[in-house]
Amino acid sequence: MARLSISTPLDVRLLDKGLSVGEALAAFNAAHEQAGGVVSFLGKVRPDGGVKALELTHYEPLTQPGMESLAQDALARFELDGALVWHRVGVMTPGEAIVLVAAASRHRRNAFEAADFLMDHLKSAAWFWKREKRADGWHWIEPRDADHADLARWK
């Protein structure tokens, strides 16, 4: 039994502290019992290159509405029963969750594609600025060429 309350069909949140992935997915699954498939993706801080911390900042007036619009687009485009889009802001350390997306649909393919669509947009075309702290200080992180190519396939 999920203790967390999920908004349906869309649950979009900006979080400034940790999230309980298991609890979130249990609640999302319970909220969409008619779905034939639920797909989720969890993005975490990687320790690559000696990363000690990752900081995400954002432009508050646009971030939440932008994420809600993105989730609404996914809902319509992939005929979803529901979508969950949770994104952390602030400072995180390696292993901590950054982003959790989930898609519920009558058919698995729609759910897989919707989760991929959401992540490609959040990774490359969202309202977040990222910087990593390494031994020699803070460094801004830009989307890679591959991130832009991933996003372009949805046009």
Side-chain angles (χ1 to χ4, degrees):
M1 181 71 144
R3 297 176 305 207
L4 181 68
S5 176
I6 294 287
S7 299
T8 58
L10 301 178
D11 195 291
V12 179
R13 302 180 191 197
L14 278 169
L15 306 165
D16 59 3
K17 55 187 170 201
L19 56 96
S20 172
V21 175
E23 191 175 1
L25 292 177
F28 185 74
N29 184 51
H32 300 290
E33 61 186 27
Q34 298 299 314
V38 173
V39 170
S40 65
F41 174 83
L42 172 66
K44 302 186 323 178
V45 179
R46 293 184 307 264
D48 300 354
V51 170
K52 298 181 183 313
L54 175 72
E55 181 181 43
L56 278 92
T57 56
H58 65 109
Y59 183 60
E60 202 162 336
L62 294 181
T63 309
Q64 184 78 25
M67 288 173 55
E68 290 170 0
S69 177
L70 175 62
Q72 188 64 49
D73 288 349
L75 190 77
R77 182 175 186 154
F78 300 102
E79 300 176 18
L80 300 178
D81 292 352
L84 177 144
V85 181
W86 290 9
H87 210 297
R88 293 272 313 273
V89 294
V91 177
M92 291 153 270
T93 57
E96 284 190 80
I98 302 168
V99 60
L100 176 65
V101 300
S105 180
R106 303 297 166 142
H107 304 284
R108 67 178 167 81
R109 181 62 48 214
N110 293 33
F112 274 108
E113 289 179 352
D116 203 20
F117 171 86
L118 289 165
M119 281 310 307
D120 283 346
H121 283 78
L122 288 169
K123 180 80 174 165
S124 302
W127 314 265
F128 300 99
W129 294 277
K130 299 176 188 177
R131 63 183 190 148
E132 293 176 339
K133 184 176 185 179
R134 297 183 215 128
D136 61 346
W138 287 96
H139 302 270
W140 290 103
I141 306 302
E142 297 293 331
R144 302 167 302 144
D145 289 342
D147 297 328
H148 292 296
D150 289 344
L151 181 62
R153 61 195 178 109
W154 299 109
K155 302 291 184 211

